[in-house]
Amino acid sequence: MTAKTDTDRTEIRLAGEGGQGMILAGIVLAEAAAIYDNKNAVQTQSYGPEARGGASKAEVIIANGEIDHPEVIAADVLIALSQEACDKYAANVKPDGLLIVDEDQVERLPNRPVIRVPVSKLALDTTGKAITANTVALGVLVGLTGIVSRQAIEKAIMARAPKGTEEMNRKALEAGFTAIERLAH
Amino acid sequence: MTIKLMQGNEAIGMGAIAAGCRFYAGYPITPSTEVAEILSRELPKLGGKFIQMEDEIASMAAIIGARVGGLKSMTATSGPGFSLMQENLGYAAMAEIPCVIVNVQRLGPSTGQPTAASQGDVMQARWGTHGDHPMIALTPVTVRQSFDLTVKAFNLSEKFRTPVILLTDEIIGHMREPVKLPAFETIHPYEQVVADTPESYKAFRNEPGDVPPMAPFGRGYRYHITGLFHDEVGFPTQRLDEIDPWLERVNHKFDRHLDEIIMVESDFQEGAKTAIVTYGATARSARHALKIARQRGLKVSMLTLLTIWPFPETQVESLGDQVDRIIVPEMNLGQLALEVERMVGRRKVKRVNRANGEMVTPQMILDAIEG
């Protein structure tokens, strides 16, 4: 590894319950950055031994240069889809960082600015499937931060979407983008 | 090949294929299972064999048997499985059977925590099987190195007729980063050449410093394989004039080839009186700490070990001559630090340890640098 500064690193944590697809969302975000946006990205994860339930999180570091430490030190962005995730990780968001929560899943909020988006409700309303919440979350995250381009995230999602689910995922992503535009007004 | 976001474990699987591995036997265990997954998919396409065994004892036995039969072989496991493999790992060292054992370290002891990271098997990799024996263990820091060092592990195991351990960890194994793998045609797997005729061949010829090539079974070469001390054709012996030359040859088979086996990355700063000696995932935390320290005007050197066994004695000793203290961060309670202390003295070494399944943070190392 060559010694190049990576002070440009952006640290993103996506957290929820096991089975919500947050790790996959992290992988897709990293692919959007590294494959479609010509940036560097490293993705790590932690999860319990269960296939579903339990706390689950993905971490993505995005930078223009080399990425050494692969984990979040202090998050620039946290998107929390469960109360446990918010309780556990909110304190580790930078003071000027972004905390995004699913407003229907997270009731107790920390004493700091929080962006509340009905992620799981949007998923259900848009596609009829709760499992698209991770795609909606990516739309919200990218819409708010611009950390990767909208084209890059769409390409990354399409590359991963199982055959026949492309349209559903595109709609879910779009719902995330739109939710942010509504927030802005 | 194009750029792909890939896990360390996937890169190990691809490295095995590139190195010519055509036999895998294993028992799935977190956090190593992706290695088995990828090889179960890819090996049959190449005419290779993938077998899920009943446990790790059998897995280790199977890869030894496969290599004797002529196929380059590998298994992958983690702590509990690595413990079970120790007996047959000693057998491979004793019978000089090349094979590669991947240990994706997780938190132990015992079942520990399957999804948590650790560097707790450093000493087990060296001394886990009983008796004096040579051992090579390689520790990748990046996904690309996970590929490269797997290829290297196969080549070293073939050249020196010895088991080689790829000692990675949950962080590097599960971490994804963009990599562009080299075209497999550009990789040159080491192939043993048996120059002897079946009549003159001795599988365990004791010429000092010599590694006799291993002829595959079933091609006319006759020899015996045993875990007992054996003579030059492999039959058990109690004669000291046969045991002593074996001890001399096998336990010193790396001595004249350390330049080829020991891989380190040096990032030395002129005038630095503090250095970090690091390996595996922790090297990434150390690199971050190093950058911040240098931004603050501190002078710090760093030595990253890609080979931890045999221990890079010369490199660490000479670093010790240049600096006043050496920081050794590890995801264990201090294992490789013992080796560093052996080379430079206890007073020069500052240990930074975390053994609860989480990475050593850059801040912990920075505190040690500034402390």
Side-chain angles (χ1 to χ4, degrees):
Chain A
M1 293 189 284
T2 52
K4 203 176 358 168
T5 177
D6 65 343
T7 43
D8 69 328
R9 61 190 266 148
T10 304
E11 305 190 339
I12 300 153
R13 185 176 269 145
L14 307 99
E17 281 173 15
Q20 279 183 320
M22 297 314 274
I23 292 177
L24 180 57
I27 296 169
V28 169
L29 180 62
E31 285 177 339
I35 297 172
Y36 302 104
D37 253 359
N38 244 335
K39 292 181 178 178
N40 196 4
V42 172
Q43 180 269 338
T44 58
Q45 58 223 307
S46 81
Y47 50 90
E50 312 90 346
R52 280 187 193 77
S56 162
K57 74 165 158 54
E59 299 187 346
V60 182
I61 314 295
I62 297 175
N64 291 312
E66 179 209 359
I67 297 169
D68 40 48
H69 188 62
E71 296 189 342
V72 167
I73 298 169
D76 295 283
V77 184
L78 165 64
I79 183 154
L81 295 197
S82 73
Q83 185 68 54
E84 189 186 348
C86 182
D87 293 347
K88 206 166 166 184
Y89 301 118
N92 186 245
V93 181
K94 285 176 184 165
D96 59 348
L98 288 180
L99 170 58
I100 307 161
V101 302
D102 184 333
E103 66 179 18
D104 299 314
Q105 308 296 325
V106 183
E107 288 173 2
R108 291 185 311 277
L109 295 172
N111 184 22
R112 58 159 294 145
V114 178
I115 297 162
R116 299 165 69 231
V117 183
V119 176
S120 46
K121 185 172 180 297
L122 280 169
L124 264 181
D125 291 352
T126 311
T127 67
K129 292 201 189 305
I131 54 161
T132 56
N134 58 351
T135 308
V136 176
L138 282 174
V140 170
L141 199 151
V142 171
L144 264 174
T145 64
I147 183 65
V148 296
S149 67
R150 290 187 178 205
Q151 295 85 334
I153 196 72
E154 185 174 339
K155 280 184 196 159
I157 288 170
M158 288 309 132
R160 282 264 174 192
K163 219 173 161 51
T165 68
E166 293 91 344
E167 201 43 44
M168 181 175 82
N169 276 292
R170 192 174 279 120
K171 278 184 187 162
L173 180 68
E174 201 56 46
F177 291 155
T178 315
I180 292 317
E181 278 145 23
R182 239 182 276 134
L183 274 180
H185 291 294
Chain B
M1 289 197 179
T2 52
I3 290 187
K4 232 190 121 196
L5 196 75
M6 191 180 277
Q7 281 190 315
N9 283 348
E10 290 177 77
I12 291 168
M14 299 306 282
I17 287 166
C21 173
R22 290 298 178 268
F23 185 92
Y24 179 99
Y27 187 82
I29 182 170
T30 303
S32 76
T33 307
E34 295 82 6
V35 179
E37 260 183 76
I38 190 163
L39 288 174
S40 70
R41 199 178 65 216
E42 298 299 324
L43 278 178
K45 293 182 197 166
L46 299 162
K49 294 275 182 254
F50 174 96
I51 306 183
Q52 180 169 325
M53 300 300 291
E54 67 268 37
D55 62 31
E56 289 88 345
I57 299 173
S59 303
M60 192 64 214
I63 68 164
I64 291 169
R67 182 60 191 90
V68 172
L71 293 183
K72 290 183 186 174
S73 63
M74 181 171 95
T75 189
T77 190
S78 188
F82 193 54
S83 291
L84 288 173
M85 287 178 182
Q86 293 304 323
E87 182 185 358
N88 279 331
L89 185 57
Y91 186 91
M94 179 55 126
E96 298 177 80
I97 315 291
C99 53
V100 174
I101 301 96
V102 178
N103 177 4
V104 188
Q105 295 168 92
R106 72 189 216 186
L107 185 59
S110 189
T111 318
Q113 221 174 82
T115 55
S118 168
Q119 293 176 313
D121 305 348
V122 164
M123 282 297 169
Q124 188 189 22
R126 180 64 189 89
W127 297 116
T129 195
H130 57 279
D132 286 302
H133 56 277
M135 191 53 69
I136 297 175
L138 311 179
T139 47
V141 177
T142 67
V143 171
R144 174 60 200 257
Q145 282 176 357
S146 300
F147 176 90
D148 293 339
L149 294 190
T150 301
V151 173
K152 183 86 178 179
F154 273 96
N155 289 345
L156 292 175
S157 87
E158 289 295 320
K159 178 156 186 191
F160 297 103
R161 246 186 100 175
T162 190
V164 174
I165 297 166
L166 187 81
L167 193 65
T168 184
D169 54 66
E170 190 277 338
I171 300 291
I172 304 300
H174 278 166
M175 180 182 73
R176 288 179 178 84
E177 60 185 357
V179 280
K180 194 174 167 191
L181 296 181
F184 287 7
E185 311 86 77
T186 64
I187 288 167
H188 304 291
Y190 184 89
E191 305 294 348
Q192 295 192 36
V193 179
V194 183
D196 288 292
T197 61
E199 293 70 35
S200 65
Y201 179 69
K202 285 183 177 164
F204 306 98
R205 194 192 303 273
N206 282 322
E207 281 165 23
D210 176 44
V211 181
M214 196 180 85
F217 262 24
R219 308 222 184 129
Y221 290 86
R222 295 169 68 89
Y223 57 104
H224 188 252
I225 299 176
T226 174
L228 290 162
F229 273 92
H230 43 270
D231 63 18
E232 292 191 332
V233 286
F235 287 107
T237 181
Q238 293 184 346
R239 284 173 51 173
L240 293 184
D241 65 343
E242 288 177 333
I243 291 172
D244 283 334
W246 186 95
L247 285 171
E248 180 63 22
R249 177 177 64 78
V250 171
N251 284 299
H252 296 281
K253 61 163 88 166
F254 304 151
D255 287 6
R256 290 186 298 128
H257 306 279
L258 290 176
D259 287 352
E260 193 181 333
I261 298 169
I262 289 180
M263 294 167 285
V264 300
E265 290 175 349
S266 310
D267 182 354
F268 292 170
Q269 203 173 16
E270 187 74 32
K273 289 293 159 203
T274 297
I276 307 169
V277 171
T278 185
Y279 61 99
T282 309
R284 302 181 73 111
S285 314
R287 162 71 54 200
H288 195 82
L290 183 85
K291 280 185 205 162
I292 296 173
R294 285 179 179 172
Q295 279 166 13
R296 292 178 186 173
L298 300 167
K299 287 183 177 172
V300 189
S301 290
M302 181 159 137
L303 183 68
T304 305
L305 312 182
L306 303 181
T307 305
I308 59 165
W309 302 120
F311 188 71
E313 294 180 347
T314 313
Q315 291 81 352
V316 172
E317 193 170 36
S318 97
L319 178 63
D321 291 340
Q322 298 163 42
V323 301
D324 295 334
R325 59 186 189 130
I326 294 183
I327 297 165
V328 186
E330 298 180 81
M331 286 189 284
N332 58 44
L333 294 177
Q335 296 196 16
L336 209 71
L338 293 165
E339 287 294 304
V340 180
E341 286 168 4
R342 183 170 68 83
M343 300 320 300
V344 306
R346 277 170 67 182
R347 266 180 291 173
K348 272 195 177 179
V349 175
K350 168 83 183 152
R351 301 179 181 191
V352 176
N353 303 111
R354 196 174 192 195
N356 61 2
E358 297 289 330
M359 284 187 87
V360 173
T361 63
Q363 189 60 46
M364 289 168 71
I365 301 168
L366 202 56
D367 288 346
I369 294 171
E370 292 181 332

